[in-house]
Amino acid sequence: MEPLFGVVLGLILAVASPAHDSCTCATNKWAVCAQDGPGNCTCRLAGSDHPVDCSTLTSKCFLMKAEMIPQKEKRLWRPPQGVSDSDGMYNPDCEDSGVFKARQCNQSSTCWCVNTAGVRRTEKGGSSLSCSELVRTRWIYIELTHKRSSSAFAVPDVAKALTQLFESRYKLHPKYIAAIKYDPPLIQIRLDQNKKPRWDVDIADVAYYFEKDVNNDSVFPSNSKLTVSVNGDALAIEKLGIYYVDEKPPEFSMRQLAAGIGAVVTVVLLTAGIGVALLLILRWLRTRTYKKFESKEMREIKAPSLE
């Protein structure tokens, strides 16, 4: 009986082990997963009650919120140094669906309006600031450069490799990749998503995942490192820039622009004034030297000869 019992126990463990090991999130390394039933694995964001759908990308808003959780409340990881927009990292307010709320505020009651990518599109104001709608980011432009190789890649090969990357790794339908242009070593990608069906990923989430991958701070598990190859040759990305274009123009007032123009004008006027002053001083010094020389010659002419 004992050998038979050992065989049965071994079979049970063999079946249970893969189920336990499979209880991980393939698209979010910060998700905390637990087996809550036979074959049922539930994943939630660390420090949050929001469930995570590990078959697709996690929304950028939920990711940013998870990144703001103190390190001691999560598993060992290195917090990112910042995000691509100029305002840096902040703790966002998210809807239950994962989208950003139109108005974001910090702990000092400073508020601003954002687009669906979470990027500020208005000047910062007080807690009374009102944001009537969440404006959709329709286009995203991605510019990147790769390390120079002995020979440039073929344009169709680069476009094919990047299209496959965005489709397989980030679940983005190719119809949202409007254009890929390649002028070695510069690669330009335009994502176009006017309306997003519920079942499709958002281009803002795709851009955020891609940015984290390039910056070696991937949201995917550690064994899913980004590798891009063109016909078997590695495409080593060096620099990355992401630009957001909304359905409606941003609402920045002219005060900020006027202040910038005023500063430039002031610098130009000061430079010109200093230049004119230096020219006047040099001219005065030359005139003074010439007058001294002329006065000396006149004295020598008028002086009586000793002979």
Side-chain angles (χ1 to χ4, degrees), residues 45 50-53 56-63 93-101 116 134 196 198 200 202 205:
L45 283 179
H50 291 292
V52 177
D53 182 359
T56 187
L57 305 187
T58 306
S59 73
K60 180 180 177 180
C61 191
F62 282 165
L63 289 178
D93 292 324
C94 310
E95 301 286 358
D96 291 338
S97 61
V99 301
F100 288 90
K101 290 187 177 181
T116 53
L134 180 67
K196 189 193 82 65
R198 182 179 55 83
D200 282 337
D202 196 299
D205 300 337

Side-chain angles (χ1 to χ4, degrees), residues 102-103 113-114 121 131-136 247-248 251:
R103 192 184 77 158
C113 302
V114 299
R121 51 175 282 109
C131 304
S132 59
E133 61 177 329
L134 180 67
V135 178
R136 177 156 189 80
E247 290 179 340
K248 296 181 180 180
E251 301 173 6

Side-chain angles (χ1 to χ4, degrees), residues 14-89:
V15 172
S17 295
H20 181 268
D21 293 341
S22 64
C23 192
T24 57
C25 189
T27 58
N28 193 333
K29 68 179 181 181
W30 297 321
V32 178
C33 303
Q35 198 87 31
D36 54 4
N40 189 20
C41 178
T42 302
C43 298
R44 298 181 182 276
L45 283 179
S48 170
D49 290 331
H50 291 292
V52 177
D53 182 359
C54 296
S55 66
T56 187
L57 305 187
T58 306
S59 73
K60 180 180 177 180
C61 191
F62 282 165
L63 289 178
M64 289 177 62
K65 197 166 191 67
E67 290 168 346
M68 293 301 294
I69 298 173
Q71 190 171 356
K72 64 181 181 180
E73 296 182 19
K74 304 197 302 187
R75 285 176 275 180
L76 294 178
W77 64 284
R78 179 179 57 83
Q81 299 301 318
V83 293
S84 58
D85 63 284
S86 59
D87 290 316
M89 182 65 71

Side-chain angles (χ1 to χ4, degrees), residues 19 21 25 49 52 59 79 87 100 116 120 127-128 173 191 196-197 210 212 217 224 226 239 248 252 261 270 299:
D21 293 341
C25 189
D49 290 331
V52 177
S59 73
D87 290 316
F100 288 90
T116 53
R120 184 166 62 92
S127 56
S128 61
H173 196 286
L191 306 181
K196 189 193 82 65
F210 183 61
K212 304 286 280 184
D217 189 25
S224 301
L226 175 66
K239 297 180 181 179
K248 296 181 180 180
F252 295 106
I261 295 175
L270 284 174
R299 286 198 302 271

Side-chain angles (χ1 to χ4, degrees), residues 138-140 142 172 176-177 189-193 203 206:
R138 177 180 177 180
W139 293 338
I140 293 182
I142 301 174
L172 182 67
Y176 298 124
I177 304 177
I189 306 169
R190 194 185 85 180
L191 306 181
D192 188 346
Q193 192 179 50
I203 57 174
V206 171

